[in-house]
Amino acid sequence: MTFRIAVLVSGGGSNLQALLDAQASDALNGEIALVVADRADAYGLQRALQHSVAAACIPLKRPRDHAIRAAWERRLANVIAAFEPDLIVLAGFMRVLSPAFLERFPDQVINQHPALLPDDGGATVRTSAGIEIPALRGAHVVADALRLGLPITGCTVHRVTPAVDDGPVLACAETPIQPDDTEETLHERIKIQERRLIVEVVQRLANDA
Ligand code: GAR
Protein backbone atom coordinates (compact mmCIF):
# COMPACT_ATOMS: atom_id res chain seq x y z
CA MET A 1 0.00 0.00 0.00
CA THR A 2 1.28 3.45 -0.89
CA PHE A 3 1.98 5.74 2.05
CA ARG A 4 -0.14 8.80 1.30
CA ILE A 5 0.86 12.28 2.39
CA ALA A 6 -1.10 15.54 2.59
CA VAL A 7 0.95 18.73 2.90
CA LEU A 8 -0.55 21.94 4.29
CA VAL A 9 1.11 25.26 3.39
CA SER A 10 0.48 28.97 3.82
CA GLY A 11 3.35 30.47 1.84
CA GLY A 12 6.24 29.87 -0.50
CA GLY A 13 6.44 26.15 0.09
CA SER A 14 10.19 25.54 -0.23
CA ASN A 15 9.83 22.65 2.22
CA LEU A 16 6.99 21.26 0.13
CA GLN A 17 9.34 21.56 -2.87
CA ALA A 18 11.94 19.43 -1.07
CA LEU A 19 9.28 16.75 -0.56
CA LEU A 20 8.12 17.02 -4.20
CA ASP A 21 11.72 16.72 -5.40
CA ALA A 22 12.30 13.67 -3.19
CA GLN A 23 9.13 12.12 -4.57
CA ALA A 24 10.21 12.89 -8.15
CA SER A 25 13.48 11.05 -7.58
CA ASP A 26 11.69 8.09 -5.96
CA ALA A 27 13.36 8.85 -2.63
CA LEU A 28 10.25 9.50 -0.55
CA ASN A 29 8.78 6.00 -0.28
CA GLY A 30 5.38 7.68 -0.33
CA GLU A 31 3.10 9.75 -2.48
CA ILE A 32 2.13 13.38 -1.94
CA ALA A 33 -1.59 12.96 -2.56
CA LEU A 34 -2.72 16.48 -1.81
CA VAL A 35 -1.49 19.99 -1.05
CA VAL A 36 -3.83 22.39 0.74
CA ALA A 37 -3.35 26.09 1.41
CA ASP A 38 -5.38 28.49 3.52
CA ARG A 39 -4.50 31.36 1.15
CA ALA A 40 -4.96 31.67 -2.59
CA ASP A 41 -1.56 33.36 -3.03
CA ALA A 42 0.40 30.52 -1.39
CA TYR A 43 3.00 29.65 -4.02
CA GLY A 44 3.05 26.10 -2.68
CA LEU A 45 -0.19 25.52 -4.64
CA GLN A 46 1.65 26.24 -7.92
CA ARG A 47 4.50 23.95 -6.89
CA ALA A 48 1.99 21.13 -6.35
CA LEU A 49 0.28 21.69 -9.70
CA GLN A 50 3.65 21.78 -11.49
CA HIS A 51 4.18 18.25 -10.15
CA SER A 52 0.64 17.13 -11.07
CA VAL A 53 -0.30 16.88 -7.41
CA ALA A 54 -3.88 17.75 -6.41
CA ALA A 55 -4.01 21.23 -4.88
CA ALA A 56 -6.82 22.90 -2.99
CA CYS A 57 -7.20 26.35 -1.52
CA ILE A 58 -9.55 26.55 1.43
CA PRO A 59 -9.33 30.20 2.44
CA LEU A 60 -10.04 31.32 5.96
CA LYS A 61 -11.55 34.76 5.56
CA ARG A 62 -12.47 35.80 9.11
CA PRO A 63 -10.14 33.83 11.41
CA ARG A 64 -11.35 35.55 14.59
CA ASP A 65 -14.98 34.55 14.04
CA HIS A 66 -15.32 31.33 16.02
CA ALA A 67 -18.17 29.82 13.98
CA ILE A 68 -16.55 30.68 10.63
CA ARG A 69 -13.26 29.25 11.78
CA ALA A 70 -14.86 26.01 13.01
CA ALA A 71 -16.74 25.59 9.70
CA TRP A 72 -13.51 26.27 7.75
CA GLU A 73 -11.68 23.66 9.77
CA ARG A 74 -14.42 21.06 9.18
CA ARG A 75 -14.23 21.74 5.42
CA LEU A 76 -10.45 21.47 5.57
CA ALA A 77 -10.69 18.14 7.42
CA ASN A 78 -13.31 16.83 4.96
CA VAL A 79 -11.16 17.66 1.94
CA ILE A 80 -8.09 16.08 3.54
CA ALA A 81 -10.04 12.97 4.60
CA ALA A 82 -11.28 12.47 1.02
CA PHE A 83 -7.64 11.87 -0.01
CA GLU A 84 -7.14 9.27 2.78
CA PRO A 85 -3.69 10.38 3.90
CA ASP A 86 -1.53 8.37 6.28
CA LEU A 87 0.39 11.51 7.22
CA ILE A 88 -0.45 15.22 7.29
CA VAL A 89 2.59 17.51 7.14
CA LEU A 90 2.25 21.13 8.27
CA ALA A 91 4.99 22.68 6.14
CA GLY A 92 4.82 26.38 6.87
CA PHE A 93 1.09 26.20 7.66
CA MET A 94 0.39 29.26 9.79
CA ARG A 95 -2.91 28.18 11.38
CA VAL A 96 -3.37 26.41 14.68
CA LEU A 97 -5.53 23.30 14.32
CA SER A 98 -8.10 22.52 17.01
CA PRO A 99 -8.36 19.35 19.13
CA ALA A 100 -11.41 18.36 17.02
CA PHE A 101 -9.25 18.34 13.89
CA LEU A 102 -6.46 16.41 15.59
CA GLU A 103 -8.91 13.82 16.97
CA ARG A 104 -10.03 13.13 13.42
CA PHE A 105 -6.43 12.34 12.36
CA PRO A 106 -4.89 10.79 15.48
CA ASP A 107 -1.07 10.66 15.50
CA GLN A 108 -1.06 11.59 11.83
CA VAL A 109 -0.15 15.28 11.97
CA ILE A 110 3.44 16.55 12.09
CA ASN A 111 4.69 20.14 12.11
CA GLN A 112 7.83 21.99 11.17
CA HIS A 113 8.92 24.71 13.56
CA PRO A 114 11.81 27.13 12.89
CA ALA A 115 13.29 26.90 16.40
CA LEU A 116 14.51 24.22 18.79
CA LEU A 117 11.80 22.65 20.95
CA PRO A 118 12.15 20.23 23.86
CA ASP A 119 10.48 16.84 23.93
CA ASP A 120 8.71 17.50 27.22
CA GLY A 121 6.79 20.72 26.61
CA GLY A 122 9.25 22.58 28.82
CA ALA A 123 10.21 26.23 28.74
CA THR A 124 13.82 25.63 27.77
CA VAL A 125 15.82 23.37 25.51
CA ARG A 126 19.44 22.21 25.86
CA THR A 127 21.67 22.44 22.79
CA SER A 128 24.25 19.78 21.88
CA ALA A 129 26.91 22.00 23.49
CA GLY A 130 24.93 21.99 26.75
CA ILE A 131 23.68 25.58 26.46
CA GLU A 132 20.19 26.06 27.85
CA ILE A 133 18.10 28.39 25.68
CA PRO A 134 14.42 29.36 25.78
CA ALA A 135 12.04 27.15 23.79
CA LEU A 136 10.63 29.68 21.32
CA ARG A 137 6.99 29.15 20.35
CA GLY A 138 4.60 31.12 18.14
CA ALA A 139 4.73 32.68 14.70
CA HIS A 140 7.80 34.96 15.08
CA VAL A 141 10.46 32.70 16.53
CA VAL A 142 13.25 33.59 14.08
CA ALA A 143 12.94 37.27 15.03
CA ASP A 144 12.63 36.26 18.70
CA ALA A 145 15.93 34.34 18.56
CA LEU A 146 17.69 37.46 17.23
CA ARG A 147 15.94 39.81 19.66
CA LEU A 148 17.00 37.64 22.61
CA GLY A 149 20.60 37.54 21.37
CA LEU A 150 20.71 33.74 21.38
CA PRO A 151 23.96 32.18 20.15
CA ILE A 152 22.12 29.32 18.50
CA THR A 153 18.70 28.36 17.26
CA GLY A 154 17.49 25.70 14.86
CA CYS A 155 14.48 23.78 13.72
CA THR A 156 12.28 20.95 14.91
CA VAL A 157 9.89 18.46 13.37
CA HIS A 158 7.40 17.23 15.94
CA ARG A 159 4.10 15.44 16.24
CA VAL A 160 1.20 17.85 16.67
CA THR A 161 -0.79 17.80 19.91
CA PRO A 162 -3.44 20.27 21.09
CA ALA A 163 -0.71 22.33 22.82
CA VAL A 164 0.75 24.77 20.29
CA ASP A 165 4.34 24.10 19.15
CA ASP A 166 4.58 21.11 21.42
CA GLY A 167 4.46 17.35 21.05
CA PRO A 168 7.01 14.56 20.71
CA VAL A 169 10.09 15.61 18.76
CA LEU A 170 10.83 13.55 15.65
CA ALA A 171 13.99 15.39 14.59
CA CYS A 172 15.82 18.64 15.15
CA ALA A 173 18.86 20.49 13.84
CA GLU A 174 20.85 23.39 15.23
CA THR A 175 21.73 26.61 13.41
CA PRO A 176 24.36 28.93 14.93
CA ILE A 177 23.43 32.61 14.80
CA GLN A 178 25.98 34.92 13.11
CA PRO A 179 26.59 38.46 14.45
CA ASP A 180 25.42 40.04 11.18
CA ASP A 181 22.35 37.85 10.75
CA THR A 182 19.05 39.45 9.80
CA GLU A 183 15.75 37.64 10.17
CA GLU A 184 15.92 36.80 6.45
CA THR A 185 19.50 35.42 6.44
CA LEU A 186 18.94 33.42 9.61
CA HIS A 187 15.60 32.02 8.45
CA GLU A 188 17.09 30.98 5.13
CA ARG A 189 19.91 29.07 6.89
CA ILE A 190 17.34 27.41 9.18
CA LYS A 191 15.27 26.47 6.14
CA ILE A 192 18.25 24.73 4.51
CA GLN A 193 18.22 22.40 7.53
CA GLU A 194 14.43 22.15 7.55
CA ARG A 195 14.27 21.00 3.94
CA ARG A 196 16.70 18.17 4.67
CA LEU A 197 15.01 17.24 7.96
CA ILE A 198 11.44 17.08 6.65
CA VAL A 199 12.42 14.70 3.86
CA GLU A 200 14.30 12.49 6.35
CA VAL A 201 11.35 12.38 8.77
CA VAL A 202 8.76 11.63 6.09
CA GLN A 203 11.00 8.90 4.66
CA ARG A 204 11.39 7.39 8.12
CA LEU A 205 7.66 7.47 8.91
CA ALA A 206 6.84 5.98 5.50
CA ASN A 207 9.38 3.21 6.00
CA ASP A 208 8.04 2.45 9.48
CA ALA A 209 4.38 2.32 8.32
C1 GAR B 1 9.47 27.18 7.70
O1 GAR B 1 10.56 27.84 8.29
C2 GAR B 1 8.60 26.54 8.77
O2 GAR B 1 9.31 26.02 9.85
C3 GAR B 1 7.77 27.72 9.19
O3 GAR B 1 7.44 28.38 8.01
C4 GAR B 1 8.52 28.20 7.07
C5 GAR B 1 7.94 27.73 5.77
O4 GAR B 1 8.86 27.89 4.73
N1 GAR B 1 6.62 27.29 9.92
C6 GAR B 1 6.11 27.98 10.93
O5 GAR B 1 6.57 29.02 11.33
C7 GAR B 1 4.88 27.35 11.54
N2 GAR B 1 4.48 28.07 12.70
P1 GAR B 1 8.49 27.43 3.25
O6 GAR B 1 7.12 28.04 2.91
O7 GAR B 1 9.58 28.00 2.39
O8 GAR B 1 8.45 25.95 3.23
Side-chain angles (χ1 to χ4, degrees), residues 134-157:
L136 303 176
R137 298 185 171 91
H140 308 287
V141 294
V142 179
D144 291 343
L146 286 171
R147 184 176 47 79
L148 293 169
L150 301 185
I152 193 163
T153 182
C155 57
T156 307
V157 181

Side-chain angles (χ1 to χ4, degrees), residues 129-189:
I131 306 167
E132 193 150 331
I133 58 171
L136 303 176
R137 298 185 171 91
H140 308 287
V141 294
V142 179
D144 291 343
L146 286 171
R147 184 176 47 79
L148 293 169
L150 301 185
I152 193 163
T153 182
C155 57
T156 307
V157 181
H158 63 95
R159 289 198 185 273
V160 176
T161 62
V164 177
D165 296 334
D166 200 356
V169 172
L170 295 166
C172 63
E174 297 178 352
T175 308
I177 298 178
Q178 311 293 352
D180 58 350
D181 260 331
T182 63
E183 186 176 345
E184 288 70 32
T185 60
L186 178 57
H187 200 170
E188 193 42 48
R189 282 209 318 291

